[in-house]
Amino acid sequence: MKEVVCVNCGENNPSIYKQFSNEIIKLTNCSKCNELVDKYVETDYSIVIIDMLLLRKEALRHIIFNSNLQVAWKLIVLFILCDAYERIASTEKLSLKESLKHENYINELELNFYLMCLKSFLEYFIFSTLAVVVLYHSQLKNTKMFSSKNLFRSIVIASYGKLFMLPVLVWSKNDEYCETLIILFIFLSQIQVIRVTTSLSSITIVVMLIIISEVACFVLHYII
């Protein structure tokens, strides 16, 4: 059985629970902090989501290290679709009234959406690849708790703030403050999940994310 991580302190432990019989299961305590290794195994999933929205390290450790996350690629597709929809909505909202008069508007809008999906995919792929490569080489000495798989999962999970763009576009189309807050939330979630996955300091992560974002934008601009 693979090792699990204590959601409280991040220490590796052999198991989350001990099963004495078919009906008797006892949660194990961490060998370092003596707290329950993973309290979320007995918690409703909605509580986990709320704690993730609050950027709690415990919930992030549970999802990244201890849960059997099999929907990473589905999440990536969902994030790309949300990002593409946000881009196309921001581009088209100014010329919507004039464009509706043209018969080819629907076809043009559909083509633009596909192009935005491709652009969002390339941006997400370049950023994720650069982040994994840079952070992997910065954490080679910390192989006990670090792996490229965990880092990839953390980069995917850190983008869940993109889902908030959809209700903002539907209910508050012209509210730039909401979009700014969502972008800030995504940036903070990226910092938090990398802190959970690696041993880097917050300042180092901030500087690294800014540099990676700038490089990704430059590469994307050069490709397109």
Side-chain angles (χ1 to χ4, degrees):
M1 183 177 180
K2 69 174 184 178
E3 286 191 333
V4 295
V5 171
C6 175
V7 298
N8 302 289
C9 65
E11 183 71 14
N12 282 11
N13 283 267
S15 63
I16 297 177
Y17 60 86
K18 294 181 180 179
Q19 185 169 356
F20 298 96
S21 65
N22 293 333
E23 299 180 354
I24 301 178
I25 296 178
K26 181 181 179 182
L27 297 180
T28 57
N29 290 60
C30 176
S31 58
K32 181 178 180 180
C33 65
N34 204 32
E35 298 288 338
L36 293 178
V37 172
D38 194 340
K39 60 183 179 182
Y40 289 105
V41 295
E42 291 186 335
T43 304
D44 189 82
Y45 203 72
S46 59
I47 303 299
V48 180
I49 295 176
I50 293 174
D51 284 351
M52 286 183 63
L53 296 178
L54 296 175
L55 300 180
R56 295 186 58 126
K57 290 184 178 180
E58 295 86 350
L60 295 174
R61 287 193 180 105
H62 167 76
I63 295 295
I64 296 173
F65 296 104
N66 299 341
S67 64
N68 188 20
L69 185 63
Q70 300 293 339
V71 294
W73 292 109
K74 295 180 181 179
L75 289 175
I76 292 176
V77 173
L78 184 59
F79 296 154
I80 290 174
L81 291 176
C82 291
D83 191 45
Y85 180 76
E86 188 272 333
R87 290 171 184 265
I88 197 69
S90 300
T91 303
E92 297 293 331
K93 64 183 180 181
L94 296 178
S95 57
L96 181 59
K97 294 182 180 180
E98 293 77 6
S99 299
L100 285 174
K101 300 177 182 179
H102 299 280
E103 296 179 356
N104 296 328
Y105 171 70
I106 300 299
N107 294 331
E108 294 177 0
L109 184 62
E110 182 179 0
L111 178 60
N112 288 337
F113 179 73
Y114 293 147
L115 292 176
M116 289 300 177
C117 284
L118 177 60
K119 184 176 180 180
S120 298
F121 169 76
L122 291 175
E123 182 178 349
Y124 195 86
F125 176 78
I126 294 171
F127 174 81
S128 301
T129 302
L130 289 175
V132 170
V133 171
V134 172
L135 293 172
Y136 180 80
H137 287 286
S138 68
Q139 294 292 294
L140 287 177
K141 297 180 180 180
N142 190 24
T143 56
K144 182 179 179 181
M145 293 181 56
F146 176 82
S147 70
S148 57
K149 179 181 178 181
N150 290 334
L151 181 57
F152 173 75
R153 293 172 68 177
S154 67
I155 294 297
V156 173
I157 293 172
S159 302
Y160 65 89
K162 292 180 179 291
L163 299 178
F164 296 139
M165 284 295 185
L166 291 181
V168 169
L169 291 173
V170 173
W171 288 294
S172 184
K173 296 182 180 179
N174 298 320
D175 195 341
E176 297 180 356
Y177 296 103
C178 289
E179 296 183 10
T180 303
L181 289 175
I182 291 174
I183 294 174
L184 178 60
F185 176 81
I186 295 173
F187 185 69
L188 292 176
S189 63
Q190 290 174 343
I191 296 174
Q192 192 74 323
V193 295
I194 294 177
R195 286 182 61 196
V196 168
T197 312
T198 69
S199 59
L200 297 175
S201 64
S202 299
I203 300 299
T204 304
I205 295 173
V206 170
V207 174
M208 192 174 296
L209 284 175
I210 293 175
I211 295 175
I212 291 174
S213 298
E214 292 297 326
V215 174
C217 290
F218 175 79
V219 173
L220 183 63
H221 179 74
Y222 179 80
I223 294 176
I224 298 180

